[in-house]
Amino acid sequence: MTTLIVTSSAHGSTREIAERVAEVLRTSQAVPTVVEDVKGAAAWLATADAVIVAAPVYTGSLAAGAVVPGVVAAVAALAALQVFVLNPLAAAPGDRGLGRIYADLSAAGQLGVPFVLSAVILAAGLGVAAILWFLTWRREEVDPLAVLALGLASLVAASPAYFMASFGPGMALADTYGIGGGDHSPWAWPIYVVSVLALAGLVAVVVLLLRGPAGGLGAPRRRA
C-alpha cells in the first residue's frame, strides 16, 4: 500500500497543492490508484472550500430572512401593545381597566383618527417583516446583505415610527385626563434600544456591501 502525505503552506491553498501533487504523479507515471486518491482529495477540498465561502452568505441569509424580520415583527407588536394597552393603563388615573379607559376616551370625543393612524403605522411594521422574509427566501437574485441592510434600516426607523404612532393616543389621554401626553409606561425603551443597536449593525453591513464581492459576502445568490 502506498501512503501519500501532503503538507500545505502559505504559498498556496490546500486544493492547489493537491492538484500539483496529482500532476507530478501523472508525469512520473506513479501508481494509478494513488493518482485517483489524490484527485478525489482535490475534489473533496474543492467542496470544502465552497462550503467555507458559502457559510458567510448563508449566515447573511439567515440573519436577513429569519432574525431581522422576527425582530421587526416583535418591535411592531411591542409598540402596538405599548400604545393601545400598556401606556393607557399606566397613564389613566385611579385603578381604571382598559375598557373603562376607552369608554372615557370615547365620551371625551378622543377616539377616532389618531388611533386609526397609529394602527396603520404599527401594522406597517408587520408588512415590512413580511417583505424582508419574501425578498430573502423567494427572490434568489437578491443579495441577502442588501436585505439585511434594509431590515436594519427599518429597525432604525422604528423609534420615529413609534413616536408618530404614540403621539395621537398620548395626546388623547392627556386631553381626557388632564395629564402629560408622553409615555407613562417604560416599555417604549426597548424600542429605542433596538433602534440604536440596529444603527450600529447597519453601519457594519454597509461597509461590507461597499467592499462588494471582494469581501466575500456582497454577492447576489444564483440558482444552481
Side-chain angles (χ1 to χ4, degrees):
M1 179 180 295
T2 303
T3 302
L4 179 64
I5 300 176
V6 179
T7 303
S8 64
S9 66
H11 299 289
S13 67
T14 52
R15 179 173 56 185
E16 293 172 346
I17 293 172
E19 291 173 349
R20 291 172 188 167
V21 172
E23 183 63 27
V24 170
L25 290 174
R26 288 192 203 96
T27 57
S28 62
Q29 297 182 349
V31 181
T33 57
V34 177
V35 175
E36 292 301 320
D37 289 343
V38 174
K39 290 169 66 177
W44 183 87
L45 289 169
T47 303
D49 285 348
V51 171
I52 292 171
V53 171
V57 178
Y58 175 77
T59 302
S61 299
L62 182 62
V67 177
V68 172
V71 174
V72 171
V75 168
L78 176 60
L81 188 65
Q82 166 75 359
V83 170
F84 297 119
V85 178
L86 299 177
N87 198 58
L89 289 174
D95 193 19
R96 285 176 168 82
L98 197 61
R100 171 71 183 279
I101 293 172
Y102 278 98
D104 292 343
L105 290 169
S106 179
Q110 296 297 327
L111 285 178
V113 175
F115 286 86
V116 173
L117 180 60
S118 299
V120 171
I121 293 174
L122 297 174
L126 298 177
V128 170
I131 291 172
L132 292 172
W133 181 88
F134 173 80
L135 288 176
T136 303
W137 300 116
R138 297 304 184 195
R139 299 300 299 269
E140 295 291 335
E141 71 276 9
V142 177
D143 184 353
L145 271 186
V147 180
L148 181 58
L150 178 61
L152 291 172
S154 301
L155 289 174
V156 173
S159 288
Y162 168 75
F163 176 80
M164 290 187 293
S166 63
F167 183 80
M171 293 306 299
L173 289 168
D175 293 340
T176 300
Y177 296 119
I179 57 177
D183 287 325
H184 294 265
S185 165
W187 285 101
W189 282 105
I191 300 173
Y192 299 128
V193 171
V194 168
S195 289
V196 172
L197 295 176
L199 179 59
L202 179 61
V203 171
V205 171
V206 168
V207 170
L208 289 175
L209 283 172
L210 292 177
R211 290 173 60 189
L217 290 172
R221 297 165 296 158
R222 302 294 181 186
R223 291 184 183 273

